[in-house]
Amino acid sequence: MPTILVVEDEQPVCDLVRVYLEKESFAVEVAMNGREALEKVTHNKYDLILLDIMLPEVDGWAICKEVRKNSSTPIIMLTAKSEEFDRVLGLELGADDYISKPFSPREMVARVKAVLRRTQGADNAHREVLSFPQLVLDKAANRVEVAGQEVQLTPREFDLLWFLASRPERVFTREQLLEAVWGYSYLGDARTVDTHVRRLREKLRPAGVSYIKTVWGKGYKFEVSKD
Ligand code: CA
């Protein structure tokens, strides 16, 4: 049973989320302030975290950053309209998706399932491995090795890298990548792709090979060649 950590300081929202998630056979744990949330993520393993931004003690941004230091647990941020959610910052910090409050519980459940599908679908797939000089991608294990060292990617970064790496030399526009990796329903723009490519390049840097090439005026492609 997948376990979801709900980090939210408003009791009614917690209750609503819990009821709907439990109805879908998820196990739910709740943290009502930032400190409690950090405590829980340090000592337990969750399949997904629903993370409110405005929290007492430690806010959602700080928690997201902390979680990403050593885990790729999917994170969906809960944002209030009045808070002017900075989506780009959210992606920079490694959030996988976000939901604005007030949200319909059914939409929330659908988003949770979609993110889990994206991040756990690999479990049932055949073991697929892509190997390049200084870079190994293991889809089933969601594992990436750069120059012999494991590197932590967020699920979305992994999906993007896998998509490109399994189709080397093909050029994809940002829109095509958004559609393929984020899906039709995602209200993203080109900067979303650029942000992820930038982060991936940073993480792949130890390989000494620049795998993701910018094709000016078009988009990106995966290529294996020395600079
Ligand atoms: Ca709040």
Side-chain angles (χ1 to χ4, degrees), residues 8-10 52-56 83 101:
E8 167 65 65
D9 58 319
E10 290 161 67
D52 185 28
I53 294 177
M54 298 296 283
L55 291 164
E83 285 163 11
K101 292 193 268 189

Side-chain angles (χ1 to χ4, degrees), residues 31 35 52 64 78 85 103 109 119 124 126 143 156 187:
R35 199 176 303 271
D52 185 28
C64 185
L78 299 178
F85 179 59
F103 51 80
V109 168
T119 53
N124 311 320
H126 298 294
R143 194 184 147 88
R156 201 77 88 165
L187 303 166

Side-chain angles (χ1 to χ4, degrees), residues 49-225:
I49 302 171
L50 274 171
L51 181 57
D52 185 28
I53 294 177
M54 298 296 283
L55 291 164
E57 305 198 43
V58 184
D59 72 11
W61 299 118
I63 294 170
C64 185
K65 218 153 137 188
E66 198 55 36
V67 169
R68 278 292 166 269
K69 276 188 191 160
N70 44 34
S71 131
S72 57
T73 305
I75 296 175
I76 300 179
M77 302 210 85
L78 299 178
T79 75
K81 274 219 172 78
S82 56
E83 285 163 11
E84 292 228 8
F85 179 59
D86 186 339
R87 198 169 45 76
V88 173
L89 178 60
L91 296 170
E92 292 271 5
L93 290 180
D96 294 279
D97 203 351
Y98 65 94
I99 301 175
S100 351
K101 292 193 268 189
F103 51 80
S104 86
R106 286 183 55 195
E107 189 207 344
M108 180 271 302
V109 168
R111 295 283 196 96
V112 165
K113 285 182 173 172
V115 169
L116 283 174
R117 229 179 0 252
R118 209 165 63 221
T119 53
Q120 299 190 324
D123 289 355
N124 311 320
H126 298 294
R127 189 177 171 78
E128 285 183 275
V129 174
L130 295 175
S131 291
F132 305 96
Q134 306 294 317
L135 174 66
V136 179
L137 304 182
D138 184 333
K139 195 167 171 66
N142 246 294
R143 194 184 147 88
V144 179
E145 267 183 33
V146 178
Q149 298 280 319
E150 185 171 3
V151 168
Q152 296 292 336
L153 301 188
T154 67
R156 201 77 88 165
E157 287 167 357
F158 187 92
D159 288 351
L160 177 61
L161 182 58
W162 182 270
F163 183 84
L164 287 168
S166 51
R167 298 160 182 85
E169 302 298 330
R170 277 181 59 189
V171 180
F172 294 95
T173 65
R174 290 167 175 79
E175 290 71 27
Q176 285 171 326
L177 292 171
L178 271 179
E179 204 173 291
V181 177
W182 279 262
Y184 285 101
S185 59
Y186 188 75
L187 303 166
D189 59 34
R191 284 189 306 169
T192 307
V193 177
D194 295 340
T195 302
H196 279 72
V197 166
R198 196 165 66 240
R199 288 172 53 129
L200 275 175
R201 281 176 172 158
E202 257 164 47
K203 291 180 177 180
L204 299 184
R205 187 166 300 145
V209 180
S210 80
Y211 286 103
I212 306 175
K213 299 275 164 130
T214 302
V215 182
W216 294 107
K218 295 203 172 117
Y220 294 106
K221 70 171 175 176
F222 187 92
E223 191 183 82
V224 184
S225 63

